[in-house]
Amino acid sequence: MSGKRESTGALLTVLRYVLGNPVIRAYMKTYLKRISCRYSDNKIVEQSMLYHALAFFAREVVSCPLMMRFLGESFEILMRFSLRIIGGDEESVRILLKDPALRRGVALVFEGIARYGVTVPQKLPSPFLIVWNFTNMCNLRCKHCYQRADKPLPDELTLEEKLKLVDQLDKAGVASVALSGGEPTIHPHFLQIVKALSDRGIHAAVATNGWMFADRDFLMRSIKAGLRYIEVSVDSAYPHKHDEFRGVRGSWEKAVKALENIVKLGVDHAMAVTITKYNLSEVDDILDLAESIGVKRVVFFNFVPVGRGVDIIDADLDPAQREFFMRKIYDEMKKRKMLIVSTAPQFGRVTLQMSSGRSIAPTHFYVGEDLVTRAVAEFVGGCGAGRIYAGIQPNGDVIPCVFLPLPVGNIRERSFREIWDTSPVFKILRDRSLLKDFCGKCPFKNVCGGCRARAYAYFKDLTAPDPGCIYNLRYWNMLREKRLERGIIKK
């Protein structure tokens, strides 16, 4: 894995080195045109010339128009020259680019820099990741559910509309789609859509309560369909506490069995934990449980008071508790043989501070001290809502984040790419200069930016300070005083 990260870092450094030059940027715009090429697996792929040029470098393209072959050879010369300058390993990068999902991600960065120049954080022509709330149907009744998931909604996308959406995301160049919900695995269209995503080279992932994957046969069918990453939610080390939080008896047992099956089959995975006051004291026990199963990654999700979460808003960590928690998991990661991260954008700042600037968590997928981490951090830049990531609701509404359910358009009415390009809400989220109060002047705003979903949930303002940050303690106290005055909480 470390070799893969170093190769990715070298590649991203090449992007900035090469495309930082305005002349080369202008030349690279000729690569934005979409064409079709035949690949080594005999598939015809319609993508940007940038994507095909990356595939040429990886020795994956078999047949393309003559002009594309010329551009591919020119691109290879440029890549080899740039990699030599920065000391990158050419063969490792070639191997990396054989993965179509990674090619998509790198092509997005290329296109973003070609279109917008080098920006901090980087603007992209399409998101790296879509979290698709596949259905509102769910077999659990979780207290914190951002969807208030229960029964399917009457206006959910049909199978035909879902397949058309997959085509739209493919044409937009989206690298990864995570199916969420509700519970996506209980929907009859789940396997078909996983296969449709995989067939197009899109990284197919799922966020699940694990119930269906406790059945090894269903898990194997999902993997065969093309599922590449599975995130299973476990909110307590103790069955009775998890089941009470999730609303259904036996759900802990199913989740743990699912993780055991996933680990045995070697699928990329994570245990997902929503951190609240209910389980803050259990962090060690939860990590012990993950280790006992063989889990390689634990992702602690930021609690955001939306959906049913509004009903348990008092479970939200205060800034001091959140700071303690983030520092604790950073320490624990140093001790344990697994990756432990948080979706709180402040975790990037905490890792920098605790490592004296040596390491950073640019995303909730890893923490590192090498070239890749710093390179990715500049591209990702903390909260990615509406910037490198977006959500899609069961009815086709496009939203900045599943925790920020503010519709900005619907794919039944406009294409996803058009919504992504023109949404005023997305434009606000992409401009860190608009952030207010300490979030706007924070020295860490380019690696954090605060959680925009939490800012909106508490203040109904996309640019407001994130009240969960230790630097915004006065806003947390102000909110608490208002709730005390209204009798919502007691001292």
Side-chain angles (χ1 to χ4, degrees), residues 56-277:
F56 261 105
F57 189 76
R59 306 288 189 262
E60 285 291 294
V61 179
V62 173
S63 176
C64 259
L66 186 61
M67 176 56 72
M68 182 64 241
R69 298 195 70 83
F70 169 74
L71 289 174
E73 290 169 4
S74 301
F75 183 84
E76 173 152 351
I77 292 169
L78 192 62
M79 284 285 288
R80 293 175 70 180
F81 173 73
S82 302
L83 282 167
R84 283 197 193 102
I85 288 176
I86 67 164
D89 182 61
E90 185 178 317
E91 190 55 34
S92 296
V93 172
R94 288 189 196 278
I95 293 169
L96 184 80
L97 289 172
K98 287 185 178 295
D99 183 336
L102 281 168
R103 279 202 300 272
R104 284 172 170 270
V106 173
L108 281 176
V109 176
F110 258 115
E111 186 175 344
I113 299 175
R115 287 185 186 276
Y116 312 118
V118 175
T119 63
V120 180
Q122 187 60 51
K123 294 179 183 177
L124 297 178
S126 283
F128 282 130
L129 171 67
I130 291 289
V131 176
W132 180 356
N133 289 332
F134 199 64
T135 178
N136 206 60
M137 175 169 55
C138 192
N139 52 345
L140 303 187
R141 298 294 179 269
C142 305
K143 288 185 176 181
H144 65 312
C145 179
Y146 56 76
Q147 282 290 104
R148 291 191 182 272
D150 184 352
K151 298 177 181 178
L153 301 174
D155 61 345
E156 291 188 3
L157 299 178
T158 65
L159 176 59
E160 182 181 3
E161 288 174 320
K162 287 172 182 165
L163 291 170
K164 286 181 179 178
L165 175 55
V166 171
D167 284 336
Q168 285 193 35
L169 300 179
D170 176 28
K171 289 176 181 176
V174 170
S176 180
V177 173
L179 302 179
S180 188
E183 177 51 45
T185 61
I186 64 174
H187 196 283
H189 299 161
F190 173 70
L191 292 177
Q192 193 166 346
I193 297 303
V194 167
K195 186 176 188 305
L197 291 166
S198 179
D199 285 349
R200 288 160 178 79
I202 298 172
H203 185 272
V206 67
T208 175
N209 59 41
W211 196 283
M212 292 294 289
F213 292 139
D215 178 349
R216 183 184 172 94
D217 289 340
F218 182 78
L219 173 60
M220 292 180 71
R221 285 164 57 203
S222 300
I223 297 167
K224 185 177 180 181
L227 190 62
R228 294 181 58 183
Y229 176 78
I230 304 172
E231 206 165 70
V232 180
S233 294
V234 177
D235 290 306
S236 175
Y238 308 106
H240 69 282
K241 288 186 68 176
H242 173 95
D243 291 357
E244 194 272 335
F245 191 68
R246 292 270 162 180
V248 174
R249 190 174 181 179
S251 58
W252 184 91
E253 183 180 354
K254 292 285 188 181
V256 169
K257 181 62 178 176
L259 281 167
E260 290 172 347
N261 287 340
I262 291 162
V263 168
K264 286 177 184 175
L265 290 175
V267 187
D268 194 16
H269 65 276
M271 177 188 284
V273 185
T274 298
I275 190 71
T276 64
K277 289 177 181 175

Side-chain angles (χ1 to χ4, degrees), residues 427-446:
K427 288 179 180 178
I428 291 170
L429 291 168
R430 292 166 193 166
D431 189 350
R432 293 274 167 89
S433 71
L434 299 176
L435 295 180
K436 295 174 181 174
D437 296 290
F438 193 82
C439 280
K441 60 187 178 184
C442 178
F444 299 101
K445 75 175 181 180
N446 287 330

